Each structure stands twice: as C-alpha cells, then as structure tokens.
Amino acid sequence: MRYVGDKVPLVILAGKEYGSGSSRDWAAKGTKLLGVHAVIAESYERIHRSNLIGMGVLPLEYLPGENAASLGLSGREVLDITGLDQGKAREVSVAARREDGSIFNFKVRVRIDTPKERDYYLHGGILQYVLRQLVSGTA
C-alpha cells in the first residue's frame, strides 16, 4: 500500500500459467488495486490474461526460453517499459535498473491480442471504456 500511496507503478515478475487457480476476475481486480501496472510472465492462463487487460493491467510475456531467473532478475529492480506505441507494438523494451545502478535491457512480448483488448487497455480497463462510450453516446 506504501507504493500505491507513493504512486510507484508495480510490475509482477511471474512464471508459467500465471493466474491459474485464481478466482479470475477478483484476482485481476486485486492486482490493479495493489497498484500493479504490468505483469511479465512466462505464460498466462487465458481468461486471467484477458481479465488483467479488462482491469487496465498490461500483460507482457518473456521471449521463448527466457524467464526472470534466466535474465538474472531478482524482483528488486526498477523497470522501465518503453515502445508500447499505444498498444500496437508486438514487443517492447524493458530497462531493468539494479540496486547497484547498472542497467540491463531485454525485450518482452505484448499480450494484447485483439483490437478490442487494445481499446480496453488504452481506456484503463473495460469499465472506463464502457463509461466513456455511454457518456459519448456511442454505446
């Protein structure tokens, strides 16, 4: 909660099938409420990935054969994600600043898979998307 109060955007470094076994939509809501802006995972449970987008959380995926351990990530790095291009990019760059000040760069795949998911993400989630549609009279 301190990070939320300090407006520090959090990123989760996850393993395979991230979101499996969760209560799905509540897990994505909790993630957003904790101040998480992105998840970098080896893979996703299909519905959970979609629910993350619905909450405005960016799902990213390590490139094949990579994961947090193989990249030497501890979870204590400050991550800067660039190149999203309004959700159109298929890959983005991540600069990881370690505690010693050194910077390590790697690429990840963007898992916004459909144009509608892109719309939801760009609006900050499905609720904001629907509300804006109602206000503008296009819903």
Side-chain angles (χ1 to χ4, degrees), residues 44-90:
Y44 290 90
E45 190 277 331
R46 179 183 57 83
I47 294 172
H48 187 66
R49 182 198 60 79
S50 180
N51 286 340
L52 287 172
I53 293 168
M55 292 306 300
V57 176
L58 178 62
L60 302 169
E61 200 168 89
Y62 295 105
L63 297 181
E66 294 182 345
N67 58 36
S70 73
L71 293 170
L73 299 170
S74 69
R76 300 184 60 82
E77 298 83 5
V78 174
L79 303 179
D80 185 25
I81 300 165
T82 59
L84 190 57
D85 189 26
Q86 295 293 306
K88 294 180 208 166
R90 299 313 303 149

